[in-house]
Amino acid sequence: MNDLSHRARYEARLNRVLDHIHDHLDEPLDIDRLAEIACLSPYHWHRIYQAMHGETVAATVRRLRLHRAAGYLANGSMPLAQIAERSGYSSLQSFSRTFRAMFGMPPAQYRKRGTHSRFRPARSGDHEMVMREVVIRDVPAMQVVTVDHVGSYMQIGKAFDALMGWLAARDLLCPEMRMVGIYYDDPGAVAEAALRSKAGVVLPRAVEVAAPVSVTPLRGGRYAVLRHTGPYADMAAAYQWLYGEWLVQSGHEAADAPAFEEYLNNPKDTAPSDLVTEICLPLV
């Protein structure tokens, strides 16, 4: 670490905190333990964290737990009381109140009628099949600065946090960069613990990298692009619709290359219902 700036050293310490938070979302928030992991004074470290990450550590934990809870609701049948407990709430009522404030509806209603419900198979007289515009677009080849992630796609934020810390430590964050996630495996065919993905950014210029950061090429060519507005928890339903309904009826064929997502706004300062993601499926 001798070659890193003072800011980079702080980023490295706080990245250890973020890693711990991602890996221990089911456990109570222990401020003193996080200060110990950061190797910073318990009197001051949370102020440093907020100044560098734009939110308090409590807000980070709450945001990550609620996004994960939305995934449980959209993609499974876990009981609400169990989701509330895993999200750190002592009662279903307090969980429902906080979830509603973030997602605009209580968890039971979200499970039935959240934005993921738009991707259910169409039925006669069913008005849920809306906003199904897929655009065929020529995408240029890209060199993406990436950090690898193995495990649940819903936890790729851990890799993004590590990447953002690496970029910030080298003064490489800029308004022109584009946020990209690359996904290699089908969650329906590969065990969750073995799913491979990469958190990435496209920068306006080439940069030198070293582990754990690498440069990953993305193929250029034709892509089917589905623009989705809503929580990241909806992605599984969106993919199922894109592959299971749109692709098989479109006359197109998927190319032998991974799909990627481009994130057009930031979950730290954007309501889940307003998150905009473009799902890009490569075509032959």
Side-chain angles (χ1 to χ4, degrees):
M1 286 182 34
N2 292 335
D3 60 333
L4 298 182
S5 66
H6 291 299
R7 179 183 176 88
R9 294 174 183 175
Y10 277 109
E11 288 286 359
R13 292 175 176 182
L14 295 183
N15 279 343
R16 294 199 298 267
V17 172
L18 285 169
D19 283 345
H20 182 85
I21 289 172
H22 279 281
D23 292 340
H24 299 83
L25 277 179
D26 291 335
E27 299 176 11
L29 175 63
D30 186 335
I31 295 295
D32 291 336
R33 173 61 181 147
L34 296 182
E36 181 182 332
I37 291 169
C39 297
L40 292 169
S41 164
Y43 297 105
H44 308 297
W45 84 270
H46 52 285
R47 291 192 178 95
I48 298 170
Y49 181 96
Q50 183 173 3
M52 296 184 71
H53 288 275
E55 61 182 358
T56 66
V57 67
T60 296
V61 172
R62 181 169 58 252
R63 174 172 56 81
L64 293 175
R65 284 175 172 171
L66 289 175
H67 277 283
R68 185 182 66 169
Y72 290 147
L73 293 166
N75 305 310
S77 56
M78 185 183 295
L80 295 182
Q82 185 178 350
I83 295 175
E85 182 179 0
R86 293 199 65 179
S87 301
Y89 292 86
S90 58
S91 72
L92 181 56
Q93 291 76 15
S94 59
F95 168 67
S96 297
R97 185 164 53 249
T98 306
F99 187 93
R100 180 172 188 165
M102 181 177 242
F103 286 85
M105 62 181 71
Q109 183 180 351
Y110 180 83
R111 169 167 274 168
K112 293 179 179 178
R113 302 196 60 81
T115 45
H116 58 278
S117 67
R118 305 196 319 265
F119 296 99
R120 292 171 181 158
R123 299 182 294 273
S124 178
D126 192 342
H127 297 294
E128 293 182 81
M129 297 292 287
V130 296
M131 299 301 292
R132 287 300 192 271
E133 296 183 7
V134 175
V135 176
I136 307 301
R137 183 186 303 168
D138 286 324
V139 175
M142 293 179 280
Q143 298 295 313
V144 187
V145 178
T146 59
V147 168
D148 290 352
H149 174 69
V150 177
S152 169
Y153 287 160
M154 285 292 291
Q155 295 298 317
I156 196 174
K158 180 179 179 180
F160 271 110
D161 285 335
L163 178 58
M164 291 303 105
W166 187 90
L167 292 167
R170 290 155 180 81
D171 295 321
L172 293 173
L173 296 175
C174 62
E176 296 83 11
M177 74 180 188
R178 297 161 58 190
M179 304 283 292
V180 171
I182 309 170
Y183 299 89
Y184 293 92
D185 299 310
D186 176 2
V190 176
E192 182 175 83
L195 292 171
R196 297 167 302 150
S197 58
K198 293 177 184 283
V201 297
V202 180
L203 296 172
R205 61 181 176 85
V207 298
E208 293 186 6
V209 302
V213 178
S214 59
V215 175
T216 302
L218 267 182
R219 75 183 282 279
R222 289 200 309 162
Y223 282 78
V225 181
L226 171 61
R227 176 172 285 209
H228 170 61
T229 301
Y232 296 145
D234 296 354
M235 290 297 104
Y239 274 93
Q240 186 174 2
W241 177 86
L242 183 61
Y243 281 91
E245 295 198 36
W246 181 84
L247 182 61
V248 298
Q249 299 177 48
S250 68
H252 294 284
E253 184 176 345
D256 186 22
F260 72 90
E261 298 171 6
E262 182 167 359
Y263 311 102
L264 303 186
N265 45 19
N266 190 333
K268 286 186 179 181
D269 55 22
T270 305
S273 59
D274 296 328
L275 292 170
V276 181
T277 306
E278 290 190 337
I279 303 173
C280 302
L281 170 63
L283 301 174
V284 173

